PDB file of all heavy atoms in Angstrom:
ATOM      1  N   ALA A  45      47.317-162.571 -61.954  1.00 97.00           N
ATOM      2  CA  ALA A  45      48.082-163.812 -62.129  1.00 97.00           C
ATOM      3  C   ALA A  45      48.767-164.206 -60.822  1.00 97.00           C
ATOM      4  O   ALA A  45      48.781-165.389 -60.451  1.00 97.00           O
ATOM      5  CB  ALA A  45      49.105-163.643 -63.243  1.00 97.00           C
ATOM      6  N   LEU A  46      49.318-163.225 -60.114  1.00 95.00           N
ATOM      7  CA  LEU A  46      49.946-163.479 -58.822  1.00 95.00           C
ATOM      8  C   LEU A  46      48.919-164.035 -57.839  1.00 95.00           C
ATOM      9  O   LEU A  46      49.169-165.029 -57.143  1.00 95.00           O
ATOM     10  CB  LEU A  46      50.564-162.191 -58.262  1.00 95.00           C
ATOM     11  CG  LEU A  46      51.095-162.256 -56.842  1.00 95.00           C
ATOM     12  CD1 LEU A  46      52.288-163.191 -56.749  1.00 95.00           C
ATOM     13  CD2 LEU A  46      51.467-160.857 -56.362  1.00 95.00           C
ATOM     14  N   GLN A  47      47.764-163.408 -57.791  1.00 96.00           N
ATOM     15  CA  GLN A  47      46.698-163.830 -56.884  1.00 96.00           C
ATOM     16  C   GLN A  47      46.310-165.288 -57.153  1.00 96.00           C
ATOM     17  O   GLN A  47      46.203-166.092 -56.236  1.00 96.00           O
ATOM     18  CB  GLN A  47      45.483-162.904 -57.034  1.00 96.00           C
ATOM     19  CG  GLN A  47      44.289-163.269 -56.189  1.00 96.00           C
ATOM     20  CD  GLN A  47      44.496-163.005 -54.709  1.00 96.00           C
ATOM     21  OE1 GLN A  47      45.453-162.377 -54.285  1.00 96.00           O
ATOM     22  NE2 GLN A  47      43.591-163.511 -53.903  1.00 96.00           N
ATOM     23  N   GLN A  48      46.108-165.615 -58.423  1.00 97.00           N
ATOM     24  CA  GLN A  48      45.684-166.979 -58.768  1.00 97.00           C
ATOM     25  C   GLN A  48      46.775-168.001 -58.447  1.00 97.00           C
ATOM     26  O   GLN A  48      46.487-169.066 -57.899  1.00 97.00           O
ATOM     27  CB  GLN A  48      45.281-167.048 -60.248  1.00 97.00           C
ATOM     28  CG  GLN A  48      44.026-166.261 -60.558  1.00 97.00           C
ATOM     29  CD  GLN A  48      42.867-166.622 -59.629  1.00 97.00           C
ATOM     30  OE1 GLN A  48      42.544-167.780 -59.454  1.00 97.00           O
ATOM     31  NE2 GLN A  48      42.269-165.604 -59.015  1.00 97.00           N
ATOM     32  N   ALA A  49      48.017-167.687 -58.790  1.00 96.00           N
ATOM     33  CA  ALA A  49      49.124-168.614 -58.497  1.00 96.00           C
ATOM     34  C   ALA A  49      49.273-168.802 -56.991  1.00 96.00           C
ATOM     35  O   ALA A  49      49.489-169.923 -56.516  1.00 96.00           O
ATOM     36  CB  ALA A  49      50.422-168.090 -59.104  1.00 96.00           C
ATOM     37  N   ALA A  50      49.127-167.733 -56.242  1.00 96.00           N
ATOM     38  CA  ALA A  50      49.248-167.820 -54.789  1.00 96.00           C
ATOM     39  C   ALA A  50      48.100-168.642 -54.208  1.00 96.00           C
ATOM     40  O   ALA A  50      48.316-169.494 -53.336  1.00 96.00           O
ATOM     41  CB  ALA A  50      49.276-166.420 -54.174  1.00 96.00           C
ATOM     42  N   LEU A  51      46.883-168.427 -54.681  1.00 97.00           N
ATOM     43  CA  LEU A  51      45.739-169.196 -54.185  1.00 97.00           C
ATOM     44  C   LEU A  51      45.874-170.686 -54.496  1.00 97.00           C
ATOM     45  O   LEU A  51      45.451-171.528 -53.702  1.00 97.00           O
ATOM     46  CB  LEU A  51      44.430-168.664 -54.774  1.00 97.00           C
ATOM     47  CG  LEU A  51      43.906-167.369 -54.174  1.00 97.00           C
ATOM     48  CD1 LEU A  51      42.707-166.854 -54.966  1.00 97.00           C
ATOM     49  CD2 LEU A  51      43.548-167.546 -52.701  1.00 97.00           C
ATOM     50  N   ARG A  52      46.482-171.005 -55.628  1.00 97.00           N
ATOM     51  CA  ARG A  52      46.693-172.416 -55.984  1.00 97.00           C
ATOM     52  C   ARG A  52      47.810-173.051 -55.166  1.00 97.00           C
ATOM     53  O   ARG A  52      48.008-174.255 -55.226  1.00 97.00           O
ATOM     54  CB  ARG A  52      47.015-172.533 -57.476  1.00 97.00           C
ATOM     55  CG  ARG A  52      45.839-172.279 -58.393  1.00 97.00           C
ATOM     56  CD  ARG A  52      46.155-172.634 -59.845  1.00 97.00           C
ATOM     57  NE  ARG A  52      47.289-171.910 -60.394  1.00 97.00           N
ATOM     58  CZ  ARG A  52      47.206-170.762 -61.074  1.00 97.00           C
ATOM     59  NH1 ARG A  52      46.013-170.213 -61.304  1.00 97.00           N
ATOM     60  NH2 ARG A  52      48.287-170.186 -61.545  1.00 97.00           N
ATOM     61  N   GLY A  53      48.560-172.243 -54.439  1.00 95.00           N
ATOM     62  CA  GLY A  53      49.644-172.773 -53.620  1.00 95.00           C
ATOM     63  C   GLY A  53      50.970-172.886 -54.347  1.00 95.00           C
ATOM     64  O   GLY A  53      51.938-173.409 -53.796  1.00 95.00           O
ATOM     65  N   GLU A  54      51.043-172.383 -55.567  1.00 94.00           N
ATOM     66  CA  GLU A  54      52.258-172.484 -56.368  1.00 94.00           C
ATOM     67  C   GLU A  54      53.417-171.666 -55.798  1.00 94.00           C
ATOM     68  O   GLU A  54      54.570-171.922 -56.139  1.00 94.00           O
ATOM     69  CB  GLU A  54      51.986-172.022 -57.803  1.00 94.00           C
ATOM     70  CG  GLU A  54      51.012-172.889 -58.546  1.00 94.00           C
ATOM     71  CD  GLU A  54      50.642-172.315 -59.905  1.00 94.00           C
ATOM     72  OE1 GLU A  54      51.332-171.397 -60.392  1.00 94.00           O
ATOM     73  OE2 GLU A  54      49.639-172.789 -60.477  1.00 94.00           O
ATOM     74  N   LEU A  55      53.110-170.705 -54.955  1.00 92.00           N
ATOM     75  CA  LEU A  55      54.132-169.800 -54.434  1.00 92.00           C
ATOM     76  C   LEU A  55      54.414-170.033 -52.952  1.00 92.00           C
ATOM     77  O   LEU A  55      55.113-169.243 -52.325  1.00 92.00           O
ATOM     78  CB  LEU A  55      53.705-168.346 -54.671  1.00 92.00           C
ATOM     79  CG  LEU A  55      53.352-168.004 -56.110  1.00 92.00           C
ATOM     80  CD1 LEU A  55      52.852-166.572 -56.212  1.00 92.00           C
ATOM     81  CD2 LEU A  55      54.540-168.232 -57.032  1.00 92.00           C
ATOM     82  N   GLY A  56      53.882-171.104 -52.400  1.00 92.00           N
ATOM     83  CA  GLY A  56      54.122-171.432 -50.994  1.00 92.00           C
ATOM     84  C   GLY A  56      52.952-171.051 -50.097  1.00 92.00           C
ATOM     85  O   GLY A  56      52.048-170.318 -50.488  1.00 92.00           O
ATOM     86  N   ASP A  57      53.014-171.583 -48.895  1.00 94.00           N
ATOM     87  CA  ASP A  57      51.928-171.382 -47.932  1.00 94.00           C
ATOM     88  C   ASP A  57      51.765-169.931 -47.494  1.00 94.00           C
ATOM     89  O   ASP A  57      50.650-169.455 -47.296  1.00 94.00           O
ATOM     90  CB  ASP A  57      52.142-172.272 -46.705  1.00 94.00           C
ATOM     91  CG  ASP A  57      51.971-173.746 -47.023  1.00 94.00           C
ATOM     92  OD1 ASP A  57      51.269-174.067 -48.012  1.00 94.00           O
ATOM     93  OD2 ASP A  57      52.532-174.577 -46.285  1.00 94.00           O
ATOM     94  N   ASP A  58      52.892-169.231 -47.320  1.00 94.00           N
ATOM     95  CA  ASP A  58      52.802-167.831 -46.888  1.00 94.00           C
ATOM     96  C   ASP A  58      52.098-166.973 -47.936  1.00 94.00           C
ATOM     97  O   ASP A  58      51.242-166.148 -47.612  1.00 94.00           O
ATOM     98  CB  ASP A  58      54.187-167.254 -46.610  1.00 94.00           C
ATOM     99  CG  ASP A  58      54.824-167.830 -45.352  1.00 94.00           C
ATOM    100  OD1 ASP A  58      54.100-168.468 -44.566  1.00 94.00           O
ATOM    101  OD2 ASP A  58      56.040-167.635 -45.167  1.00 94.00           O
ATOM    102  N   MET A  59      52.443-167.196 -49.196  1.00 95.00           N
ATOM    103  CA  MET A  59      51.808-166.425 -50.263  1.00 95.00           C
ATOM    104  C   MET A  59      50.331-166.796 -50.385  1.00 95.00           C
ATOM    105  O   MET A  59      49.495-165.943 -50.672  1.00 95.00           O
ATOM    106  CB  MET A  59      52.536-166.646 -51.586  1.00 95.00           C
ATOM    107  CG  MET A  59      53.954-166.073 -51.595  1.00 95.00           C
ATOM    108  SD  MET A  59      53.989-164.263 -51.518  1.00 95.00           S
ATOM    109  CE  MET A  59      53.679-163.896 -53.236  1.00 95.00           C
ATOM    110  N   ARG A  60      49.999-168.038 -50.141  1.00 96.00           N
ATOM    111  CA  ARG A  60      48.595-168.449 -50.151  1.00 96.00           C
ATOM    112  C   ARG A  60      47.846-167.720 -49.035  1.00 96.00           C
ATOM    113  O   ARG A  60      46.719-167.262 -49.238  1.00 96.00           O
ATOM    114  CB  ARG A  60      48.461-169.958 -49.978  1.00 96.00           C
ATOM    115  CG  ARG A  60      46.997-170.397 -50.050  1.00 96.00           C
ATOM    116  CD  ARG A  60      46.836-171.869 -49.824  1.00 96.00           C
ATOM    117  NE  ARG A  60      47.537-172.596 -50.878  1.00 96.00           N
ATOM    118  CZ  ARG A  60      47.641-173.914 -50.910  1.00 96.00           C
ATOM    119  NH1 ARG A  60      47.108-174.661 -49.977  1.00 96.00           N
ATOM    120  NH2 ARG A  60      48.286-174.500 -51.892  1.00 96.00           N
ATOM    121  N   SER A  61      48.466-167.593 -47.884  1.00 96.00           N
ATOM    122  CA  SER A  61      47.836-166.863 -46.774  1.00 96.00           C
ATOM    123  C   SER A  61      47.566-165.413 -47.147  1.00 96.00           C
ATOM    124  O   SER A  61      46.499-164.870 -46.850  1.00 96.00           O
ATOM    125  CB  SER A  61      48.724-166.917 -45.523  1.00 96.00           C
ATOM    126  OG  SER A  61      48.838-168.226 -45.041  1.00 96.00           O
ATOM    127  N   ILE A  62      48.538-164.797 -47.806  1.00 96.00           N
ATOM    128  CA  ILE A  62      48.347-163.412 -48.245  1.00 96.00           C
ATOM    129  C   ILE A  62      47.194-163.343 -49.241  1.00 96.00           C
ATOM    130  O   ILE A  62      46.318-162.478 -49.138  1.00 96.00           O
ATOM    131  CB  ILE A  62      49.637-162.844 -48.870  1.00 96.00           C
ATOM    132  CG1 ILE A  62      50.749-162.747 -47.826  1.00 96.00           C
ATOM    133  CG2 ILE A  62      49.367-161.468 -49.496  1.00 96.00           C
ATOM    134  CD1 ILE A  62      52.116-162.416 -48.404  1.00 96.00           C
ATOM    135  N   ALA A  63      47.188-164.261 -50.215  1.00 97.00           N
ATOM    136  CA  ALA A  63      46.141-164.252 -51.245  1.00 97.00           C
ATOM    137  C   ALA A  63      44.760-164.425 -50.630  1.00 97.00           C
ATOM    138  O   ALA A  63      43.793-163.814 -51.075  1.00 97.00           O
ATOM    139  CB  ALA A  63      46.409-165.345 -52.283  1.00 97.00           C
ATOM    140  N   ARG A  64      44.677-165.242 -49.608  1.00 97.00           N
ATOM    141  CA  ARG A  64      43.383-165.417 -48.927  1.00 97.00           C
ATOM    142  C   ARG A  64      42.953-164.126 -48.242  1.00 97.00           C
ATOM    143  O   ARG A  64      41.776-163.769 -48.257  1.00 97.00           O
ATOM    144  CB  ARG A  64      43.466-166.572 -47.936  1.00 97.00           C
ATOM    145  CG  ARG A  64      43.498-167.918 -48.620  1.00 97.00           C
ATOM    146  CD  ARG A  64      43.581-169.042 -47.623  1.00 97.00           C
ATOM    147  NE  ARG A  64      43.592-170.323 -48.301  1.00 97.00           N
ATOM    148  CZ  ARG A  64      44.167-171.414 -47.824  1.00 97.00           C
ATOM    149  NH1 ARG A  64      44.776-171.389 -46.658  1.00 97.00           N
ATOM    150  NH2 ARG A  64      44.138-172.536 -48.507  1.00 97.00           N
ATOM    151  N   ARG A  65      43.898-163.426 -47.637  1.00 96.00           N
ATOM    152  CA  ARG A  65      43.586-162.139 -47.008  1.00 96.00           C
ATOM    153  C   ARG A  65      43.102-161.144 -48.063  1.00 96.00           C
ATOM    154  O   ARG A  65      42.169-160.388 -47.825  1.00 96.00           O
ATOM    155  CB  ARG A  65      44.807-161.577 -46.283  1.00 96.00           C
ATOM    156  CG  ARG A  65      45.187-162.317 -45.016  1.00 96.00           C
ATOM    157  CD  ARG A  65      46.452-161.712 -44.384  1.00 96.00           C
ATOM    158  NE  ARG A  65      46.313-160.299 -44.107  1.00 96.00           N
ATOM    159  CZ  ARG A  65      45.796-159.774 -43.009  1.00 96.00           C
ATOM    160  NH1 ARG A  65      45.340-160.574 -42.053  1.00 96.00           N
ATOM    161  NH2 ARG A  65      45.732-158.478 -42.838  1.00 96.00           N
ATOM    162  N   VAL A  66      43.758-161.150 -49.229  1.00 97.00           N
ATOM    163  CA  VAL A  66      43.350-160.259 -50.315  1.00 97.00           C
ATOM    164  C   VAL A  66      41.956-160.640 -50.799  1.00 97.00           C
ATOM    165  O   VAL A  66      41.098-159.779 -50.984  1.00 97.00           O
ATOM    166  CB  VAL A  66      44.380-160.287 -51.465  1.00 97.00           C
ATOM    167  CG1 VAL A  66      43.862-159.539 -52.689  1.00 97.00           C
ATOM    168  CG2 VAL A  66      45.720-159.696 -51.005  1.00 97.00           C
ATOM    169  N   ASP A  67      41.720-161.939 -50.977  1.00 96.00           N
ATOM    170  CA  ASP A  67      40.402-162.420 -51.403  1.00 96.00           C
ATOM    171  C   ASP A  67      39.296-162.011 -50.431  1.00 96.00           C
ATOM    172  O   ASP A  67      38.195-161.662 -50.842  1.00 96.00           O
ATOM    173  CB  ASP A  67      40.413-163.943 -51.520  1.00 96.00           C
ATOM    174  CG  ASP A  67      40.236-164.431 -52.935  1.00 96.00           C
ATOM    175  OD1 ASP A  67      40.234-163.601 -53.867  1.00 96.00           O
ATOM    176  OD2 ASP A  67      40.101-165.648 -53.116  1.00 96.00           O
TER     177      ASP A  67
END
Side-chain angles (χ1 to χ4, degrees):
L46 172 66
Q47 178 71 10
Q48 292 308 309
L51 284 173
R52 288 190 302 267
E54 295 173 14
L55 306 176
D57 292 336
D58 289 346
M59 293 293 279
R60 182 182 298 176
S61 295
I62 295 170
R64 287 180 179 152
R65 289 178 56 86
V66 171
D67 246 7

